[in-house]
C-alpha cells in the first residue's frame, strides 16, 4: 500500500470514528431527553393519582352531604307538620279565648256567655 492509500484509509477511519462519536453524542442526548420525558410522565401520573384520590374523597363527602340534606328535608317536613298542628291549636285556643272574653256574670255570679252578634242583612 502506498502512503496515499494509507492516508485515505486513515481519513476514512477518522471519518467513521467522528461519525461514531457524533452518533454516541446523539444517543446520549436522546437518552437524556427520554429520561426527562419519562420523569414528566411519572410526575403527571402521580398528580393524576393524587387527583383521583381527592375526587374519591370528595365523592364520599358529597354523598354524606346529600344524606344530611335528605335528613334536613325530612326534618323540615316534620317541622311543617308540627307548625301546622300548632297553628290549628292556636286558632282553636284563640276562638275559645274570644268566647271567654265575651261573657258577663249574672246576679247570682254565674258566667253567661254572650252570643256573637250577627250583622243584620239589608
Amino acid at each position: 500500500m502506498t502512503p496515499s492509500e494509507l492516508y485515505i484509509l486513515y481519513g476514512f477511519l477518522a471519518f467513521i470514528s467522528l461519525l461514531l462519536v457524533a452518533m454516541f453524542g446523539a444517543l446520549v442526548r436522546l437518552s437524556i431527553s427520554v429520561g426527562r420525558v419519562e420523569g414528566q410522565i411519572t410526575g403527571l401520573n402521580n398528580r393524576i393519582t393524587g387527583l383521583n384520590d381527592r375526587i374519591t374523597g370528595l365523592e364520599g363527602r358529597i354523598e354524606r352531604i346529600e344524606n344530611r340534606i335528605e335528613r334536613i328535608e325530612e326534618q323540615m317536613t316534620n317541622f311543617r307538620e308540627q307548625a301546622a298542628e300548632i297553628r290549628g291549636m292556636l286558632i282553636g285556643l284563640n276562638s275559645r279565648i274570644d268566647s271567654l272574653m265575651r261573657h258577663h256574670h249574672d246576679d247570682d255570679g254565674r258566667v253567661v256567655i254572650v252570643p256573637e252578634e250577627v250583622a243584620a242583612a239589608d
Side-chain angles (χ1 to χ4, degrees), residues 28-73:
V28 168
R29 190 166 181 198
L30 282 174
S31 65
I32 290 171
S33 297
V34 167
R36 284 185 186 155
V37 170
E38 283 181 353
Q40 289 174 350
I41 289 173
T42 303
L44 287 174
N45 281 339
N46 291 339
R47 287 182 68 185
I48 288 172
T49 303
L51 287 174
N52 235 357
D53 294 341
R54 287 181 65 189
I55 288 171
T56 304
L58 287 176
E59 286 175 352
R61 289 178 66 188
I62 289 171
E63 185 175 331
R64 287 191 301 270
I65 289 172
E66 286 174 348
N67 291 338
R68 287 180 69 186
I69 289 173
E70 287 175 8
R71 286 195 310 263
I72 289 171
E73 288 173 348

Side-chain angles (χ1 to χ4, degrees), residues 81-95:
E81 292 171 0
Q82 291 172 359
E85 184 178 338
I86 291 171
R87 183 173 182 255
M89 290 178 0
L90 285 175
I91 290 172
L93 181 63
N94 189 24
S95 67

Side-chain angles (χ1 to χ4, degrees), residues 72-121:
I72 289 171
E73 288 173 348
E74 291 173 3
Q75 289 175 352
M76 290 302 293
T77 303
N78 292 337
F79 288 151
R80 274 192 218 108
E81 292 171 0
Q82 291 172 359
E85 184 178 338
I86 291 171
R87 183 173 182 255
M89 290 178 0
L90 285 175
I91 290 172
L93 181 63
N94 189 24
S95 67
R96 287 183 182 167
I97 289 175
D98 284 345
S99 295
L100 287 177
M101 296 303 285
R102 285 181 267 124
H103 77 281
H104 68 278
H105 297 272
D106 61 3
D107 294 334
D108 295 332
R110 289 178 289 169
V111 175
V112 177
I113 296 177
V114 178
E116 218 176 287
E117 293 183 23
V118 179

